[in-house]
């Protein structure tokens, strides 16, 4: 009864069709989600491509140096992984839900810094172990992007 009264009132007052507006807003949300998924997949591919291309770098036979850059790349890559874990927990624990996108954003920024460090370590070269640490850091740093692509695809 109340709904029919509202429909008559809306026609009499010449209010806009809210269903059409709702459909338009839903379409905008889908377009934004699709663009976010495309961006996340593109950057994910960049991380994987850098990891694959890192195998072109051969270890040096007489590596001098302690490999600080490679070790730094590996240890700092655990930061974005931890932030991604917080985002994943936000999907399971309702009290952490407001922190999903915030932790993804921080993880993506941290991953960009780790990517720079890991690529610099690969360019610097080193022993087989040093290159393996840099490669592992590079692959782990891409974790936020892989998970963000999956998370945003749930909105489609």
């Amino acid at each position: 009864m109340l709904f029919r009264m509202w429909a008559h009132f809306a026609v009499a007052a010449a209010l806009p069709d809210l269903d059409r507006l709702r459909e338009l807003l839903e379409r905008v949300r889908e377009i934004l989600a699709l663009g976010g998924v495309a961006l996340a997949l593109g950057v994910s591919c960049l991380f994987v491509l850098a990891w694959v291309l890192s195998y072109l770098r051969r270890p040096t036979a007489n590596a001098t140096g302690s490999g600080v850059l490679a070790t730094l790349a590996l240890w700092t890559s655990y930061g974005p992984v931890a932030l991604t874990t917080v985002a994943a927990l936000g999907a399971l624990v309702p009290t952490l839900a407001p922190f999903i996108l915030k932790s993804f954003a921080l993880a993506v920024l941290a991953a960009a810094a780790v990517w720079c460090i890991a690529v610099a370590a690969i360019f610097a070269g080193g022993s087989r172990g040093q290159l393996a640490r840099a490669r592992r850091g590079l692959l782990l740093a891409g974790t936020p992007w892989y998970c963000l692509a999956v998370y945003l695809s749930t909105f489609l």
Side-chain angles (χ1 to χ4, degrees):
M1 169 95 175
L2 186 61
F3 181 72
R4 283 190 292 180
M5 287 176 47
W6 173 255
H8 291 299
F9 177 71
V11 170
L15 292 176
D17 185 18
L18 296 179
D19 289 332
R20 176 73 179 128
L21 182 63
R22 187 175 297 119
E23 290 172 9
L24 182 65
L25 289 175
E26 182 66 26
R27 182 73 179 139
V28 167
R29 188 187 63 77
E30 288 175 2
I31 290 171
L32 288 175
L34 186 62
V37 170
L39 176 68
L41 284 175
V43 175
S44 296
C45 289
L46 178 73
F47 272 88
V48 172
L49 180 68
W51 176 73
V52 168
L53 291 178
S54 72
Y55 280 94
L56 295 175
R57 181 75 169 154
R58 297 287 173 213
T60 56
N62 55 357
T64 59
S66 61
V68 172
L69 205 54
T71 305
L72 182 66
L74 178 62
W75 282 101
T76 56
S77 69
Y78 291 117
V81 171
L83 288 167
T84 304
T85 305
V86 170
L89 287 175
L92 302 173
V93 180
T95 57
L96 294 177
F99 301 111
I100 291 176
L101 289 178
K102 293 173 187 173
S103 61
F104 267 133
L106 289 174
V108 162
L109 288 175
V114 173
W115 186 83
C116 293
I117 295 169
V119 168
I122 290 169
F123 278 142
S127 68
R128 182 179 306 273
Q130 292 169 355
L131 287 176
R133 281 192 296 274
R135 287 180 187 127
R136 185 174 301 143
L138 188 61
L139 197 59
L140 285 174
T143 302
W145 289 102
Y146 317 138
C147 295
L148 185 62
V150 171
Y151 176 71
L152 289 177
S153 68
T154 62
F155 289 115
L156 293 178

